[in-house]
Coordinates of all heavy atoms in Angstrom, one line a residue:
I1 N -55.1 -9.5 -15.1 CA -56.5 -9.2 -15.1 C -57.0 -9.4 -16.5 O -56.4 -9.0 -17.5 CB -56.7 -7.7 -14.8 CG1 -56.2 -7.4 -13.4 CG2 -58.1 -7.3 -15.0 CD1 -56.1 -5.9 -13.1
L2 N -58.1 -10.2 -16.6 CA -58.8 -10.4 -17.9 C -60.0 -9.5 -17.9 O -60.9 -9.7 -17.0 CB -59.2 -11.9 -18.0 CG -58.1 -12.9 -17.9 CD1 -58.6 -14.3 -18.0 CD2 -57.0 -12.7 -19.0
L3 N -60.1 -8.6 -18.8 CA -61.2 -7.8 -18.9 C -62.1 -8.2 -20.2 O -61.6 -8.1 -21.3 CB -60.8 -6.3 -19.1 CG -61.9 -5.2 -19.2 CD1 -62.8 -5.3 -18.0 CD2 -61.2 -3.9 -19.4
L4 N -63.3 -8.7 -19.9 CA -64.2 -9.1 -21.0 C -65.1 -8.0 -21.4 O -65.8 -7.4 -20.5 CB -65.0 -10.3 -20.5 CG -64.2 -11.5 -20.0 CD1 -65.1 -12.6 -19.4 CD2 -63.3 -12.1 -21.1
I5 N -65.1 -7.7 -22.7 CA -65.9 -6.6 -23.2 C -66.8 -7.2 -24.3 O -66.3 -7.8 -25.2 CB -65.1 -5.4 -23.7 CG1 -64.2 -4.9 -22.5 CG2 -66.0 -4.4 -24.3 CD1 -63.3 -3.8 -23.0
D6 N -68.1 -6.9 -24.2 CA -69.0 -7.4 -25.3 C -68.7 -6.6 -26.6 O -68.8 -5.3 -26.6 CB -70.4 -7.1 -24.9 CG -71.5 -7.7 -25.8 OD1 -71.2 -7.7 -27.1 OD2 -72.5 -8.1 -25.4
S7 N -68.3 -7.2 -27.6 CA -67.8 -6.5 -28.8 C -69.0 -5.8 -29.5 O -68.7 -4.8 -30.2 CB -67.3 -7.5 -29.9 OG -68.2 -8.5 -30.2
R8 N -70.2 -6.1 -29.2 CA -71.3 -5.4 -29.8 C -71.5 -4.1 -29.2 O -72.1 -3.2 -29.7 CB -72.6 -6.2 -29.7 CG -72.5 -7.6 -30.5 CD -73.7 -8.4 -30.2 NE -73.7 -8.8 -28.8 CZ -74.7 -9.4 -28.2 NH1 -75.7 -9.8 -28.9 NH2 -74.6 -9.7 -26.9
R9 N -71.1 -3.9 -27.9 CA -71.3 -2.7 -27.2 C -70.0 -1.8 -27.1 O -70.1 -0.6 -26.9 CB -71.8 -3.0 -25.8 CG -73.2 -3.6 -25.9 CD -73.7 -4.0 -24.6 NE -75.0 -4.7 -24.5 CZ -75.6 -5.4 -25.4 NH1 -75.1 -5.6 -26.6 NH2 -76.8 -6.0 -25.1
G10 N -68.9 -2.4 -27.2 CA -67.6 -1.7 -27.0 C -67.3 -1.4 -25.6 O -68.1 -1.7 -24.7
P11 N -66.2 -0.8 -25.3 CA -65.8 -0.5 -23.9 C -66.7 0.6 -23.3 O -67.0 1.6 -23.9 CB -64.3 0.0 -24.0 CG -63.9 -0.1 -25.5 CD -65.1 -0.4 -26.3
S12 N -67.0 0.3 -22.1 CA -67.9 1.3 -21.3 C -67.0 2.2 -20.5 O -65.8 2.0 -20.4 CB -68.8 0.5 -20.4 OG -68.1 -0.1 -19.3
E13 N -67.6 3.2 -19.8 CA -66.9 4.1 -19.0 C -66.2 3.3 -17.8 O -65.0 3.5 -17.5 CB -67.8 5.1 -18.4 CG -67.1 6.2 -17.6 CD -68.1 7.3 -17.2 OE1 -69.0 7.6 -17.9 OE2 -67.9 7.7 -16.0
E14 N -66.9 2.3 -17.3 CA -66.3 1.4 -16.3 C -65.1 0.6 -16.8 O -64.2 0.4 -16.0 CB -67.4 0.5 -15.7 CG -68.5 1.2 -14.9 CD -69.6 1.7 -15.8 OE1 -69.7 1.4 -17.0 OE2 -70.4 2.5 -15.2
D15 N -65.2 0.2 -18.0 CA -64.1 -0.6 -18.6 C -62.8 0.3 -18.6 O -61.7 -0.1 -18.3 CB -64.4 -1.1 -20.0 CG -65.5 -2.1 -20.0 OD1 -65.6 -2.9 -19.0 OD2 -66.3 -2.1 -20.9
F16 N -63.0 1.6 -19.0 CA -61.9 2.5 -19.1 C -61.3 2.8 -17.7 O -60.1 2.9 -17.5 CB -62.3 3.8 -19.8 CG -62.4 3.7 -21.3 CD1 -63.6 3.7 -21.9 CD2 -61.3 3.4 -22.1 CE1 -63.7 3.6 -23.3 CE2 -61.4 3.3 -23.4 CZ -62.6 3.4 -24.1
L17 N -62.2 2.8 -16.7 CA -61.7 3.0 -15.3 C -60.9 1.9 -14.9 O -59.8 2.0 -14.3 CB -62.9 3.2 -14.4 CG -63.7 4.5 -14.5 CD1 -64.9 4.5 -13.6 CD2 -62.8 5.7 -14.1
I18 N -61.3 0.6 -15.2 CA -60.5 -0.5 -14.9 C -59.2 -0.5 -15.6 O -58.1 -0.8 -15.0 CB -61.3 -1.8 -15.2 CG1 -62.5 -1.9 -14.3 CG2 -60.4 -3.1 -15.1 CD1 -63.5 -3.0 -14.7
I19 N -59.2 -0.2 -16.9 CA -58.0 -0.1 -17.7 C -57.0 0.9 -17.1 O -55.8 0.6 -16.9 CB -58.3 0.2 -19.2 CG1 -59.1 -1.0 -19.8 CG2 -57.0 0.5 -19.9 CD1 -59.8 -0.6 -21.1
H20 N -57.5 2.1 -16.8 CA -56.6 3.1 -16.2 C -56.1 2.7 -14.8 O -54.9 2.9 -14.5 CB -57.3 4.4 -16.2 CG -57.6 5.0 -17.5 ND1 -56.6 5.2 -18.5 CD2 -58.7 5.3 -18.1 CE1 -57.2 5.7 -19.6 NE2 -58.5 5.8 -19.4
W21 N -56.9 2.0 -14.0 CA -56.5 1.6 -12.7 C -55.4 0.5 -12.9 O -54.4 0.5 -12.2 CB -57.7 1.0 -11.9 CG -57.3 0.4 -10.6 CD1 -57.1 1.0 -9.5 CD2 -56.9 -1.0 -10.4 NE1 -56.7 0.1 -8.5 CE2 -56.6 -1.1 -9.1 CE3 -56.9 -2.1 -11.2 CZ2 -56.2 -2.3 -8.5 CZ3 -56.5 -3.3 -10.7 CH2 -56.1 -3.4 -9.3
A22 N -55.6 -0.4 -13.8 CA -54.6 -1.5 -14.0 C -53.3 -0.9 -14.4 O -52.2 -1.4 -14.0 CB -55.1 -2.5 -15.0
E23 N -53.3 0.1 -15.3 CA -52.1 0.7 -15.8 C -51.4 1.4 -14.6 O -50.2 1.3 -14.4 CB -52.4 1.7 -16.9 CG -52.8 1.1 -18.2 CD -53.3 2.1 -19.2 OE1 -53.5 3.3 -18.9 OE2 -53.4 1.7 -20.4
A24 N -52.2 2.1 -13.8 CA -51.6 2.8 -12.6 C -51.0 1.9 -11.6 O -50.0 2.2 -10.9 CB -52.6 3.7 -12.0
Q25 N -51.5 0.7 -11.5 CA -51.1 -0.3 -10.5 C -50.0 -1.3 -11.1 O -49.6 -2.2 -10.5 CB -52.3 -1.1 -10.0 CG -53.3 -0.3 -9.3 CD -52.7 0.4 -8.0 OE1 -52.0 -0.3 -7.3 NE2 -53.1 1.6 -7.8
N26 N -49.7 -1.0 -12.4 CA -48.7 -1.9 -13.1 C -49.2 -3.3 -13.2 O -48.4 -4.3 -13.0 CB -47.3 -1.8 -12.5 CG -46.7 -0.4 -12.7 OD1 -46.8 0.1 -13.8 ND2 -46.0 0.1 -11.7
R27 N -50.5 -3.5 -13.4 CA -51.1 -4.9 -13.5 C -51.1 -5.3 -14.9 O -51.3 -4.5 -15.8 CB -52.5 -4.9 -13.0 CG -52.7 -4.4 -11.5 CD -52.2 -5.5 -10.6 NE -52.3 -5.0 -9.2 CZ -52.2 -5.8 -8.2 NH1 -52.0 -7.1 -8.4 NH2 -52.4 -5.3 -7.0
K28 N -50.9 -6.6 -15.1 CA -51.0 -7.1 -16.5 C -52.4 -7.2 -16.8 O -53.3 -7.7 -16.0 CB -50.4 -8.5 -16.5 CG -48.9 -8.5 -16.2 CD -48.4 -10.0 -16.1 CE -47.0 -10.0 -15.6 NZ -46.6 -11.4 -15.3
L29 N -52.8 -6.7 -18.0 CA -54.2 -6.7 -18.4 C -54.3 -7.3 -19.8 O -53.5 -7.0 -20.7 CB -54.6 -5.2 -18.5 CG -56.0 -4.9 -18.9 CD1 -57.1 -5.4 -17.9 CD2 -56.2 -3.4 -19.1
L30 N -55.3 -8.1 -20.0 CA -55.6 -8.6 -21.3 C -57.1 -8.3 -21.6 O -58.0 -8.7 -20.8 CB -55.4 -10.1 -21.3 CG -55.8 -10.8 -22.6 CD1 -55.0 -10.3 -23.8 CD2 -55.6 -12.3 -22.5
I31 N -57.3 -7.5 -22.6 CA -58.7 -7.1 -23.0 C -59.2 -8.1 -24.0 O -58.6 -8.4 -25.1 CB -58.7 -5.7 -23.6 CG1 -58.2 -4.7 -22.5 CG2 -60.1 -5.3 -24.1 CD1 -57.9 -3.3 -23.1
I32 N -60.3 -8.7 -23.7 CA -60.9 -9.8 -24.6 C -62.3 -9.3 -25.0 O -63.2 -9.0 -24.2 CB -61.1 -11.1 -23.8 CG1 -59.7 -11.5 -23.2 CG2 -61.7 -12.2 -24.7 CD1 -59.8 -12.5 -22.1
F33 N -62.4 -9.1 -26.4 CA -63.7 -8.8 -26.9 C -64.5 -10.1 -27.2 O -64.1 -10.9 -28.0 CB -63.6 -7.9 -28.2 CG -63.2 -6.5 -27.9 CD1 -61.9 -6.1 -27.9 CD2 -64.2 -5.6 -27.5 CE1 -61.5 -4.8 -27.6 CE2 -63.8 -4.3 -27.2 CZ -62.5 -3.9 -27.3
T34 N -65.6 -10.2 -26.5 CA -66.4 -11.4 -26.7 C -67.5 -11.3 -27.7 O -67.8 -10.2 -28.2 CB -67.1 -11.8 -25.3 OG1 -68.0 -10.7 -25.0 CG2 -66.1 -12.0 -24.2
K35 N -68.1 -12.4 -28.1 CA -69.2 -12.4 -29.1 C -68.8 -11.8 -30.4 O -69.6 -11.1 -31.1 CB -70.4 -11.7 -28.5 CG -70.9 -12.4 -27.2 CD -72.1 -11.7 -26.7 CE -72.5 -12.2 -25.3 NZ -73.5 -11.5 -24.7
I36 N -67.5 -11.9 -30.8 CA -67.0 -11.3 -32.0 C -67.7 -11.8 -33.3 O -67.8 -11.2 -34.3 CB -65.5 -11.4 -32.1 CG1 -64.9 -10.4 -33.0 CG2 -65.1 -12.8 -32.5 CD1 -64.8 -9.0 -32.4
D37 N -68.2 -13.1 -33.2 CA -69.0 -13.7 -34.3 C -70.2 -12.9 -34.6 O -70.8 -13.1 -35.7 CB -69.2 -15.1 -34.0 CG -70.1 -15.3 -32.7 OD1 -69.6 -15.0 -31.7 OD2 -71.2 -15.9 -32.8
K38 N -70.7 -12.1 -33.7 CA -72.0 -11.3 -34.0 C -71.7 -10.1 -34.8 O -72.7 -9.5 -35.3 CB -72.6 -10.9 -32.6 CG -72.8 -12.0 -31.6 CD -73.9 -12.9 -32.1 CE -74.2 -14.0 -31.0 NZ -75.1 -15.0 -31.4
L39 N -70.5 -9.8 -35.1 CA -70.1 -8.6 -35.9 C -69.8 -9.0 -37.4 O -69.4 -10.1 -37.6 CB -68.9 -7.9 -35.3 CG -69.0 -7.4 -33.9 CD1 -67.7 -6.7 -33.5 CD2 -70.2 -6.4 -33.7
T40 N -70.0 -8.1 -38.3 CA -69.6 -8.3 -39.7 C -68.1 -8.2 -39.7 O -67.5 -7.6 -38.8 CB -70.3 -7.2 -40.6 OG1 -69.7 -6.0 -40.3 CG2 -71.8 -7.3 -40.5
S41 N -67.5 -8.6 -40.8 CA -66.1 -8.5 -41.0 C -65.6 -7.1 -40.9 O -64.6 -6.8 -40.2 CB -65.6 -9.1 -42.3 OG -65.9 -10.4 -42.4
S42 N -66.3 -6.1 -41.5 CA -65.8 -4.7 -41.4 C -66.0 -4.2 -40.0 O -65.2 -3.4 -39.5 CB -66.6 -3.9 -42.4 OG -68.0 -3.9 -42.1
E43 N -67.0 -4.6 -39.3 CA -67.2 -4.1 -37.9 C -66.1 -4.7 -37.0 O -65.6 -4.0 -36.1 CB -68.5 -4.6 -37.3 CG -69.7 -3.9 -37.9 CD -71.1 -4.4 -37.5 OE1 -71.2 -5.7 -37.3 OE2 -72.0 -3.7 -37.3
K44 N -65.7 -5.9 -37.2 CA -64.6 -6.5 -36.5 C -63.3 -5.7 -36.7 O -62.6 -5.4 -35.8 CB -64.3 -8.0 -36.9 CG -65.4 -8.9 -36.5 CD -65.0 -10.3 -37.0 CE -66.3 -11.2 -37.1 NZ -66.0 -12.5 -37.7
M45 N -63.0 -5.5 -38.0 CA -61.8 -4.8 -38.3 C -61.7 -3.4 -37.7 O -60.7 -2.9 -37.2 CB -61.6 -4.7 -39.9 CG -61.3 -6.0 -40.5 SD -61.2 -6.0 -42.3 CE -60.0 -4.7 -42.6
H46 N -62.9 -2.7 -37.8 CA -63.0 -1.3 -37.2 C -62.8 -1.4 -35.7 O -62.0 -0.6 -35.2 CB -64.3 -0.7 -37.6 CG -64.5 0.6 -37.0 ND1 -63.9 1.8 -37.5 CD2 -65.3 1.1 -36.0 CE1 -64.2 2.8 -36.7 NE2 -65.1 2.4 -35.8
L47 N -63.5 -2.3 -35.0 CA -63.4 -2.4 -33.6 C -61.9 -2.7 -33.1 O -61.4 -2.0 -32.3 CB -64.3 -3.5 -33.1 CG -64.2 -3.8 -31.6 CD1 -64.8 -2.7 -30.8 CD2 -64.9 -5.1 -31.3
L48 N -61.3 -3.6 -33.8 CA -60.0 -4.0 -33.3 C -58.9 -2.9 -33.7 O -58.0 -2.7 -32.9 CB -59.6 -5.4 -34.0 CG -60.4 -6.5 -33.5 CD1 -60.0 -7.8 -34.2 CD2 -60.2 -6.7 -32.0
A49 N -59.1 -2.3 -34.8 CA -58.1 -1.2 -35.2 C -58.3 -0.1 -34.2 O -57.3 0.5 -33.7 CB -58.4 -0.8 -36.6
E50 N -59.5 0.3 -33.9 CA -59.8 1.4 -33.1 C -59.3 1.2 -31.6 O -58.7 2.0 -31.0 CB -61.3 1.7 -33.1 CG -61.7 2.9 -32.3 CD -63.2 3.2 -32.4 OE1 -63.7 3.6 -33.4 OE2 -63.9 2.9 -31.4
T51 N -59.6 0.0 -31.1 CA -59.3 -0.3 -29.7 C -57.8 -0.6 -29.5 O -57.2 -0.3 -28.5 CB -60.2 -1.4 -29.2 OG1 -60.1 -2.6 -30.0 CG2 -61.6 -1.0 -29.0
T52 N -57.2 -1.3 -30.5 CA -55.8 -1.6 -30.4 C -55.0 -0.3 -30.4 O -54.0 -0.1 -29.6 CB -55.3 -2.5 -31.5 OG1 -56.1 -3.7 -31.5 CG2 -53.9 -2.8 -31.4
A53 N -55.4 0.7 -31.2 CA -54.7 2.0 -31.2 C -54.8 2.7 -29.9 O -53.9 3.3 -29.4 CB -55.3 2.8 -32.3
S54 N -56.0 2.6 -29.2 CA -56.2 3.4 -28.0 C -55.9 2.6 -26.7 O -55.5 3.1 -25.7 CB -57.6 4.0 -27.9 OG -58.6 2.9 -27.9
L55 N -56.1 1.3 -26.8 CA -56.0 0.4 -25.5 C -54.9 -0.5 -25.5 O -54.6 -1.1 -24.5 CB -57.3 -0.4 -25.3 CG -58.6 0.4 -25.2 CD1 -59.8 -0.5 -25.1 CD2 -58.6 1.4 -24.1
G56 N -54.2 -0.7 -26.7 CA -53.2 -1.7 -26.7 C -53.7 -3.1 -27.2 O -54.7 -3.1 -27.9
D57 N -53.0 -4.1 -26.9 CA -53.3 -5.4 -27.4 C -54.6 -5.9 -26.9 O -54.9 -5.9 -25.7 CB -52.2 -6.4 -26.9 CG -52.1 -7.6 -27.8 OD1 -52.6 -7.6 -28.9 OD2 -51.5 -8.6 -27.3
C58 N -55.4 -6.4 -27.9 CA -56.7 -7.0 -27.6 C -56.9 -8.3 -28.3 O -56.3 -8.6 -29.3 CB -57.8 -6.0 -28.0 SG -57.8 -4.4 -27.4
I59 N -57.8 -9.1 -27.7 CA -58.1 -10.4 -28.3 C -59.5 -10.4 -28.7 O -60.4 -10.0 -27.9 CB -57.8 -11.6 -27.3 CG1 -56.4 -11.7 -26.8 CG2 -58.3 -12.9 -27.8 CD1 -55.5 -12.3 -27.8
A60 N -59.8 -10.9 -29.9 CA -61.2 -11.1 -30.4 C -61.5 -12.5 -30.2 O -60.8 -13.4 -30.6 CB -61.3 -10.7 -31.9
F61 N -62.6 -12.8 -29.5 CA -63.0 -14.1 -29.1 C -64.4 -14.5 -29.4 O -65.3 -13.7 -29.2 CB -62.8 -14.3 -27.6 CG -63.1 -15.7 -27.1 CD1 -62.2 -16.7 -27.3 CD2 -64.3 -16.0 -26.5 CE1 -62.4 -18.0 -26.9 CE2 -64.6 -17.3 -26.0 CZ -63.6 -18.3 -26.2
S62 N -64.6 -15.7 -29.9 CA -65.9 -16.3 -30.1 C -65.8 -17.7 -29.7 O -64.9 -18.4 -30.1 CB -66.3 -16.2 -31.6 OG -67.5 -17.0 -31.8
I63 N -66.8 -18.2 -28.9 CA -66.8 -19.6 -28.5 C -66.9 -20.5 -29.7 O -66.5 -21.7 -29.6 CB -67.9 -19.8 -27.4 CG1 -67.7 -21.1 -26.7 CG2 -69.3 -19.8 -28.1 CD1 -66.5 -21.2 -25.8
Q64 N -67.4 -20.0 -30.8 CA -67.6 -20.8 -32.0 C -66.3 -21.0 -32.8 O -66.3 -21.8 -33.7 CB -68.7 -20.2 -32.8 CG -70.0 -20.2 -32.1 CD -71.1 -19.5 -33.0 OE1 -70.8 -19.0 -34.0 NE2 -72.3 -19.5 -32.4
D65 N -65.3 -20.2 -32.5 CA -64.1 -20.3 -33.2 C -63.0 -21.0 -32.4 O -62.4 -20.4 -31.5 CB -63.6 -18.8 -33.6 CG -62.4 -18.7 -34.4 OD1 -61.8 -19.8 -34.7 OD2 -62.0 -17.6 -34.7
K66 N -62.6 -22.2 -32.9 CA -61.6 -23.0 -32.1 C -60.3 -22.3 -32.1 O -59.6 -22.3 -31.1 CB -61.5 -24.4 -32.7 CG -62.7 -25.3 -32.4 CD -62.5 -26.7 -32.9 CE -63.7 -27.5 -32.7 NZ -63.5 -28.9 -33.1
E67 N -59.9 -21.7 -33.2 CA -58.6 -21.0 -33.3 C -58.6 -19.8 -32.3 O -57.5 -19.6 -31.7 CB -58.4 -20.5 -34.7 CG -57.0 -19.9 -34.9 CD -56.7 -19.4 -36.3 OE1 -57.2 -20.1 -37.2 OE2 -56.1 -18.4 -36.4
A68 N -59.7 -19.2 -32.1 CA -59.7 -18.1 -31.1 C -59.5 -18.6 -29.7 O -58.8 -17.9 -28.9 CB -61.1 -17.3 -31.2
R69 N -60.0 -19.8 -29.4 CA -59.7 -20.4 -28.1 C -58.2 -20.6 -27.9 O -57.7 -20.3 -26.8 CB -60.4 -21.7 -28.0 CG -61.9 -21.6 -27.9 CD -62.5 -23.0 -27.6 NE -63.7 -23.1 -28.5 CZ -64.3 -24.2 -28.7 NH1 -64.0 -25.3 -28.1 NH2 -65.4 -24.3 -29.4
Y70 N -57.5 -21.1 -28.9 CA -56.1 -21.3 -28.7 C -55.3 -20.0 -28.6 O -54.4 -19.9 -27.8 CB -55.6 -22.2 -29.9 CG -56.2 -23.5 -30.0 CD1 -56.9 -24.0 -31.1 CD2 -56.1 -24.4 -28.9 CE1 -57.4 -25.2 -31.2 CE2 -56.7 -25.7 -28.9 CZ -57.4 -26.1 -30.1 OH -57.9 -27.3 -30.2
K71 N -55.7 -19.0 -29.3 CA -55.1 -17.7 -29.2 C -55.3 -17.1 -27.8 O -54.4 -16.5 -27.2 CB -55.7 -16.7 -30.2 CG -55.2 -17.0 -31.6 CD -55.8 -16.0 -32.6 CE -55.4 -16.3 -34.0 NZ -56.1 -15.3 -35.0
L72 N -56.5 -17.3 -27.3 CA -56.8 -16.8 -25.9 C -55.9 -17.5 -24.9 O -55.3 -16.9 -24.0 CB -58.3 -16.9 -25.6 CG -58.7 -16.5 -24.2 CD1 -58.3 -15.0 -24.0 CD2 -60.2 -16.7 -24.1
I73 N -55.9 -18.8 -25.0 CA -55.1 -19.6 -24.0 C -53.7 -19.2 -24.1 O -53.0 -19.1 -23.1 CB -55.3 -21.1 -24.3 CG1 -56.7 -21.5 -23.9 CG2 -54.3 -22.0 -23.5 CD1 -57.1 -22.9 -24.4
S74 N -53.2 -19.1 -25.3 CA -51.8 -18.7 -25.5 C -51.5 -17.3 -24.9 O -50.5 -17.1 -24.2 CB -51.4 -18.7 -27.0 OG -50.1 -18.2 -27.2
A75 N -52.4 -16.4 -25.1 CA -52.2 -15.0 -24.6 C -52.2 -15.0 -23.1 O -51.4 -14.3 -22.4 CB -53.3 -14.1 -25.1
I76 N -53.1 -15.8 -22.5 CA -53.1 -15.9 -21.0 C -51.9 -16.5 -20.5 O -51.3 -16.1 -19.5 CB -54.4 -16.7 -20.6 CG1 -55.7 -15.9 -20.9 CG2 -54.3 -17.1 -19.1 CD1 -56.9 -16.7 -20.7
Q77 N -51.4 -17.6 -21.1 CA -50.2 -18.3 -20.7 C -49.0 -17.3 -20.7 O -48.1 -17.3 -19.8 CB -49.9 -19.5 -21.5 CG -50.9 -20.6 -21.2 CD -50.7 -21.8 -22.1 OE1 -50.3 -21.7 -23.3 NE2 -51.1 -23.0 -21.6
K78 N -48.9 -16.5 -21.8 CA -47.8 -15.6 -21.9 C -47.8 -14.6 -20.7 O -46.8 -14.2 -20.2 CB -47.9 -14.8 -23.2 CG -47.4 -15.6 -24.4 CD -47.6 -14.9 -25.7 CE -47.3 -15.7 -26.9 NZ -47.5 -15.0 -28.2
R79 N -49.0 -14.1 -20.4 CA -49.1 -13.1 -19.3 C -48.8 -13.7 -17.9 O -48.3 -13.1 -17.1 CB -50.4 -12.4 -19.3 CG -50.4 -11.3 -20.4 CD -51.8 -10.9 -20.7 NE -51.8 -9.8 -21.7 CZ -51.5 -9.9 -23.0 NH1 -51.2 -11.1 -23.5 NH2 -51.5 -8.9 -23.8
I80 N -49.1 -15.0 -17.8 CA -48.8 -15.7 -16.5 C -47.3 -15.9 -16.3 O -46.8 -15.7 -15.2 CB -49.6 -17.0 -16.4 CG1 -51.1 -16.8 -16.3 CG2 -49.1 -17.9 -15.3 CD1 -52.0 -18.0 -16.4
S81 N -46.7 -16.2 -17.4 CA -45.3 -16.5 -17.3 C -44.4 -15.3 -17.3 O -43.2 -15.4 -17.0 CB -44.8 -17.4 -18.5 OG -45.0 -16.7 -19.7
L82 N -44.9 -14.1 -17.6 CA -44.1 -12.9 -17.6 C -43.7 -12.5 -16.2 O -44.3 -12.6 -15.2 CB -44.8 -11.8 -18.3 CG -44.9 -12.0 -19.8 CD1 -45.7 -10.8 -20.4 CD2 -43.6 -12.1 -20.5

């Protein structure tokens, strides 16, 4: 399951419901924070530190960042092959 969350808004109540459902169903979940380029460096660090601590592994993604694309593809491939 790929869960896309707008980084400017953070996880919603519905996002947490999906996360808890996926955990209860033993589903593989990848949380992707989109539009990460819209945040300042300190906002990015805070968001990722906060969410990684509470939600686990997350990917920060921006369509403008080529490296982020490769990280996302790699993370998806790892989850598919598990």
